[in-house]
């Protein structure tokens, strides 16, 4: 295929086993150093170029302070990329690598299904930027009403991100975990996160105080 895969077959097999085990056990899976620094930085550069060209649609208005404090807090700013555009070949490479993991994991399971799913398609890639100044995303479920999306895959692009200073934590409240247990995911550079998109995984993006970038793919069964 067009992109030279980073992973050889054994590594891919090993990674997929990890994804399947974690998704089955916890409903989520974190893979760090997914593309490696060089490729990760190339993806980040393409996202920064997209942003500097004003291609990110302004996020929903979260809160506009009235009267003297005119500060407006906007949520996520997004745009959709299919990965074949000439100006973002590395986002295209990222997509092909995530696809390779999902396709392989889907095939590896004995009954040829990931969990009870048979994944066969996905959305385009959603490039998202939280502009800082407290921008956040309220607690929600990605697919609450069975729209077909079964796995959310989020690739983070934030170099040297420090949650203590910059916030932006993704907090997942996995169904079935003890009330006081949550999954806190830091949006670290070159980190790939998978989680079931349905009601098993309510989650929120806590207020971010630096610009926070991510690329999301949703897989359908
Ligand atoms: O960035 C994260 O860590 C998690 N992000 C989310 O859960 C998330 N979920 N659903 C969306 C729908 C439209 C636009 C942005 C989003 C979005 O950032
Ligand atoms: Fe979400």
């Amino acid at each position: 295929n067009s992109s030279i895969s980073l992973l050889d077959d054994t590594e891919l097999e090993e990674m997929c086993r990890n994804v399947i085990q974690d998704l089955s056990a916890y409903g989520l899976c974190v893979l760090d150093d997914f593309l490696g620094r060089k490729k990760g930085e190339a993806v980040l550069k393409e996202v920064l170029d997209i942003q500097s060209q004003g291609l990110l649609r302004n996020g929903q208005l979260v809160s506009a302070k009235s009267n003297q404090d005119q500060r407006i807090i906007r949520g996520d700013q997004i745009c959709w990329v299919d990965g074949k555009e000439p100006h973002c070949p590395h986002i295209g490479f990222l997509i092909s690598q995530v696809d390779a993991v999902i396709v392989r994991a889907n095939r590896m399971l004995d009954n040829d299904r990931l969990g009870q799913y048979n994944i066969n398609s996905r959305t385009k890639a959603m490039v998202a930027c939280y502009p800082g100044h407290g921008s956040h995303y309220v607690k929600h479920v990605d697919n609450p009403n069975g729209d077909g999306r079964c796995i959310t895959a989020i690739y983070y692009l934030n170099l040297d991100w420090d949650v203590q200073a910059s916030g932006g934590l993704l907090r997942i409240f996995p169904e079935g975990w003890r009330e006081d247990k949550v999954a806190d995911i830091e949006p670290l550079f070159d980190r790939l996160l998978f989680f079931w998109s349905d009601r098993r995984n309510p989650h929120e993006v806590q207020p971010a105080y630096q610009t926070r970038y991510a690329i999301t793919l949703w897989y359908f069964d």
Side-chain angles (χ1 to χ4, degrees):
N1 59 7
S2 61
S3 61
I4 307 129
S5 170
L6 268 183
L7 300 160
D8 71 28
D9 213 56
T10 328
E11 285 165 330
L12 181 60
E13 184 93 4
E14 181 48 39
M15 182 183 277
C16 291
R17 203 171 302 288
N18 180 354
V19 170
I20 293 167
Q21 277 164 2
D22 287 1
L23 273 176
S24 308
Y26 313 110
L28 60 101
C29 175
V30 176
L31 297 177
D32 278 320
D33 306 316
F34 182 61
L35 294 184
R37 186 164 185 101
K38 203 162 138 291
K39 294 268 182 179
E41 286 186 342
V43 173
L44 173 58
K45 188 180 170 324
E46 290 176 359
V47 170
L48 295 173
D49 290 347
I50 284 171
Q51 182 178 39
S52 59
Q53 288 153 36
L55 297 173
L56 292 180
R57 194 174 49 74
N58 245 341
Q60 82 270 16
L61 195 57
V62 178
S63 75
K65 299 275 179 237
S66 59
N67 55 59
Q68 87 282 359
D69 175 354
Q70 285 312 312
R71 197 162 39 87
I72 287 190
I73 296 188
R74 286 203 170 279
D76 53 286
Q77 302 169 336
I78 67 161
C79 79
W80 294 91
V81 168
D82 80 12
K84 296 180 189 58
E85 296 89 344
H87 63 280
C88 46
H90 290 94
I91 295 177
F93 177 71
L94 166 70
I95 294 169
S96 68
Q97 291 300 101
V98 181
D99 282 351
V101 171
I102 292 288
V103 165
R104 185 62 171 271
N106 202 31
R107 210 173 41 226
M108 268 164 64
L109 275 132
D110 40 3
N111 61 355
D112 198 30
R113 301 168 80 80
L114 189 57
Q116 65 282 21
Y117 295 117
N118 194 5
I119 292 169
N120 53 44
S121 62
R122 59 161 165 76
T123 63
K124 289 186 176 185
M126 182 185 78
V127 175
C129 167
Y130 284 81
H133 322 300
S135 50
H136 59 282
Y137 205 107
V138 296
K139 191 172 177 179
H140 66 282
V141 169
D142 282 352
N143 173 17
N145 308 313
D147 65 20
R149 290 180 291 168
C150 56
I151 291 183
T152 302
I154 309 181
Y155 181 73
Y156 295 107
L157 289 154
N158 307 293
L159 285 163
D160 309 321
W161 186 271
D162 170 9
V163 168
Q164 302 309 323
S166 311
L169 188 73
L170 169 68
R171 174 161 287 178
I172 307 179
F173 304 81
E175 191 185 65
W177 288 22
R178 278 182 31 177
E179 269 314 293
D180 59 340
K181 290 278 173 229
V182 292
D184 281 347
I185 316 288
E186 301 187 11
L188 304 181
F189 176 78
D190 202 21
R191 167 170 282 184
L192 180 61
L193 165 69
F194 292 109
F195 58 87
W196 301 128
S197 309
D198 62 23
R199 291 170 185 267
R200 283 172 285 182
N201 287 315
H203 56 283
E204 66 188 12
V205 179
Q206 296 186 346
Y209 298 98
Q210 297 290 330
T211 314
R212 178 190 187 276
Y213 298 101
I215 298 176
T216 301
L217 293 161
W218 280 281
Y219 287 86
F220 289 94
D221 83 325

